[in-house]
Amino acid sequence: EVQLVQSGAEVKKPGESLRISCKGTGYSFSSYWISWVRQMPGKGLEWMGRIDPSESNSNYSPPFEGHVTISADKSTSTASLQWSRLEASDTAIYYCVRHARDCSGVRCDSIWYYDLWGRGTLVTVSS
Amino acid sequence: EIVMTQSPATLSVSPGERATLSCRASHSVNSNLAWYQQKPGQAPRLFIYGASTRATGIPARFSGSGSGTEFTLTISSLQSEDIGLYYCQQYYNWPTFGQGTKVEIK
């Protein structure tokens, strides 16, 4: 089955580090970009950043640059989102999402909407 | 940053009636617009991309229209399973989402 399987909920204290993961199954993981999207309690969706698993190059939304790190391991078909120092404001659900692709041309191009979503990982940061 | 504004915040519609959701972009995004549905406790699901193309498995009662800065998602005949939050997202530039429209049964 084509899916993104995310790691389980986490409860952390401010200042602690954390890595959450997202494993792609049922498709060629390296062929599709992965982004992370944040949903704070009762709020909307925010794009955080994306990675190309085939080359491990990444881009970040300015509010998140320097605060999180996105990585990918194509050998295990797993993308990760990590923090070195959590803050209470990091409390949210984090979704990994797969970018759609347009293969109508001579090669496939990644598109910036998301055709596959993980179930989300709830991160709670509280002292 | 392109700001996406959705209206109304909440839409109450009787079963079988038409529901019309609006999404406005602060700058033109051409047709680089997607719609997602989110049910309580679930991840969002892609419904529409390219402003008007239904994603795989999406019923024909859902249709998207618009280009530039004004977009509409229409549910021609609301069913009980259509309730949830609907988000628009532009992908002309760094992706941004609207704040969502909650669709409920009247």
Side-chain angles (χ1 to χ4, degrees):
Chain A
E1 181 182 359
V2 176
Q3 58 181 344
L4 295 172
V5 181
Q6 295 191 232
S7 52
E10 301 274 1
V11 179
K12 292 288 190 178
K13 290 181 167 51
E16 292 186 332
S17 63
L18 175 65
R19 178 195 292 255
I20 61 175
S21 66
C22 166
K23 183 177 177 65
T25 65
Y27 73 96
S28 174
F29 181 75
S30 295
S31 298
Y32 292 80
W33 293 358
I34 293 287
S35 274
W36 288 90
V37 174
R38 183 175 77 174
Q39 187 168 41
M40 298 178 76
K43 301 298 184 183
L45 303 166
E46 303 170 90
W47 175 73
M48 302 175 67
R50 70 97 204 172
I51 190 163
D52 176 356
S54 67
E55 300 178 351
S56 283
N57 56 22
S58 54
N59 304 96
Y60 297 88
S61 176
F64 298 96
E65 179 114 48
H67 186 54
V68 298
T69 301
I70 296 172
S71 59
D73 182 346
K74 18 181 212 183
S75 69
T76 59
S77 299
T78 300
S80 298
L81 176 67
Q82 65 182 67
W83 296 258
S84 58
R85 288 186 59 84
L86 286 161
E87 303 170 358
S89 58
D90 292 319
T91 295
I93 297 173
Y94 293 88
Y95 295 102
C96 64
V97 296
R98 188 182 79 170
H99 286 239
R101 290 198 310 171
D102 178 3
C103 297
S104 59
V106 292
R107 66 172 194 175
C108 293
D109 293 316
S110 292
I111 314 285
W112 286 75
Y113 62 88
Y114 313 117
D115 64 357
L116 184 65
W117 292 64
R119 296 173 68 91
T121 295
L122 174 61
V123 174
T124 303
V125 184
S126 174
S127 55
Chain B
E1 173 182 313
I2 297 177
V3 177
M4 307 301 292
T5 303
Q6 292 186 240
S7 62
T10 302
L11 186 60
S12 297
V13 179
S14 300
E17 296 298 305
R18 177 186 298 265
T20 303
L21 291 68
S22 295
C23 174
R24 172 177 293 177
S26 61
H27 297 85
S28 174
V29 299
N30 292 340
S31 294
N32 297 298
L33 193 284
W35 291 92
Y36 303 87
Q37 179 200 62
Q38 185 178 33
K39 290 182 171 290
Q42 297 183 20
R45 176 187 177 190
L46 177 67
F47 262 47
I48 299 283
Y49 62 92
S52 60
T53 303
R54 283 189 302 275
T56 302
I58 304 306
R61 64 180 179 274
F62 290 89
S63 63
S65 62
S67 66
T69 62
E70 301 283 345
F71 300 89
T72 300
L73 175 68
T74 301
I75 310 172
S76 60
S77 176
L78 189 75
Q79 307 297 306
S80 58
E81 62 264 32
D82 299 336
I83 61 170
L85 266 169
Y86 290 80
Y87 292 98
C88 62
Q89 177 230 330
Q90 65 79 20
Y91 51 97
Y92 177 80
N93 207 329
W94 294 119
T96 50
F97 295 85
Q99 77 278 24
T101 290
K102 181 181 180 181
V103 174
E104 59 183 30
I105 298 290
K106 182 185 287 185

